[in-house]
Amino acid sequence: MSRRPDVSALVSSYPQYRLGPFSPILAEMLQHFETLDKLRDRTVLELGPGNRVGLMRFLAQEATVKSIQGVGRSIVWPWTRHRTFIQAHVVNARLLEFFKTQGRGTGYDLIYSRLVMEQHSIDPWILLSSEAYRQQFKKRRFTDFDASYPGSIPNLQAVFLEAWGVLNPGGVIISVIGKRKYSALESRFLGGLKPRYINVQDLGRLSRIVTLG
C-alpha cells in the first residue's frame, strides 16, 4: 500500500515547480486522494492560474493526471515563463463565462484555486441582484474598497456554485480564499450545497482554505 507523501518533502523534492505557495492545497489534495497515483485518471481544473502554473505543471508531469486545464484572464507575453504550457492548457476567459460554455457531461474530479475566486468575474447583473451591493451603493459607503466593496461576495458564491455544478461524483473543490471576513463562504452557504464533506481551516489571520466534496 502506497504511503501518503509528505507535502514538505514534495515541495523540496521538486523545486522547479515552486510548490511552496500551494502547500495548503496539496495537503488537502492528498487528504482526499491519498497518493499521487490516485490522480492519474482524474480530470483537473484550476481557476485563475494566471502565469503561475507550477502546480498545474507538477500535476501534469509528475502526477500524470488524465487531463488538466486552467481558466482565467491573463496576458501571455512572448517572454512569459512556460508560455507553451500556458497556451496549451489555460483558457483565457472570465470564470463565469467559461462555465456557461461547458456542455453537458463536462465534469472535473478536482477543482482548485488560490486567492482568485473572490477577484474574478465581476458581473454587474450579479451585483445588482445583491442586496448588500444596493445598500452600500445607496449609502455611498464605498470609501474603503478593500473592506466595504461587496462585489466579490455575490460573485464568489456564483463562481463556487458553477464549480460545484461541474464536479464529478466523488470529486472535490479546494479553494484558498483571501479576506475571509468578506468571502461569504460560510457554513450556511456551504451547507446549502449539501456536500458529503466540508473542511474549513484558517490560514494565518487573513485567509482560509475551503474544501468541499
Side-chain angles (χ1 to χ4, degrees):
M1 183 176 178
S2 300
R3 294 179 58 188
R4 184 182 301 168
D6 179 75
V7 172
S8 59
L10 282 177
V11 172
S12 60
S13 298
Y14 297 96
Q16 66 272 34
Y17 298 109
R18 302 181 181 182
L19 297 174
F22 297 97
S23 292
I25 294 176
L26 270 172
E28 289 294 307
M29 195 181 299
L30 294 173
Q31 178 70 25
H32 188 80
F33 294 104
E34 296 184 346
T35 66
L36 294 178
D37 287 341
K38 292 186 178 181
L39 286 167
R40 291 184 184 277
D41 297 322
R42 310 291 183 173
T43 54
V44 182
L45 175 68
E46 178 171 348
L47 303 181
N51 295 327
R52 298 184 178 183
V53 292
L55 185 51
M56 286 185 66
R57 292 176 54 243
F58 174 78
L59 293 174
Q61 297 166 8
E62 307 298 338
T64 58
V65 296
K66 180 180 179 181
S67 68
I68 190 160
Q69 185 177 38
V71 58
R73 299 289 291 171
S74 62
I75 298 176
V76 183
W77 302 106
W79 54 84
T80 300
R81 284 173 59 87
H82 314 301
R83 179 168 59 93
T84 302
F85 182 91
I86 293 171
Q87 290 175 331
H89 293 278
V90 179
V91 178
N92 188 359
R94 296 186 184 280
L95 301 185
L96 290 175
E97 292 172 359
F98 169 80
F99 282 122
K100 289 177 182 177
T101 66
Q102 299 299 281
R104 287 191 175 185
T106 301
Y108 301 94
D109 300 301
L110 168 64
I111 300 174
Y112 68 90
S113 65
R114 177 179 175 271
L115 304 177
V116 295
M117 255 198 208
E118 65 272 38
Q119 300 175 24
H120 279 243
S121 299
I122 301 301
D123 187 322
W125 295 110
I126 291 177
L127 294 183
L128 289 174
S129 67
S130 166
E131 181 63 25
Y133 179 87
R134 290 199 299 271
Q135 289 299 320
Q136 294 275 13
F137 186 81
K138 184 177 180 180
K139 297 176 182 178
R140 297 183 178 181
R141 291 180 58 189
F142 295 111
T143 54
D144 181 356
F145 279 75
D146 185 55
S148 64
Y149 185 63
S152 65
I153 294 176
N155 282 282
L156 173 58
Q157 291 181 341
V159 171
F160 212 88
L161 283 169
E162 293 290 346
W164 181 249
V166 297
L167 196 67
N168 286 333
V172 64
I173 299 175
I174 305 171
S175 186
V176 174
I177 304 295
K179 303 177 189 174
R180 64 172 185 252
K181 182 178 178 181
Y182 310 102
S183 73
L185 293 186
E186 304 298 340
S187 57
R188 181 178 178 181
F189 171 77
L190 296 174
L193 301 178
K194 298 181 180 180
R196 298 183 313 277
Y197 173 81
I198 299 177
N199 185 33
V200 179
Q201 290 180 287
D202 289 341
L203 301 174
R205 297 189 303 111
L206 297 178
S207 61
R208 69 175 28 157
I209 186 166
V210 176
T211 305
L212 207 66

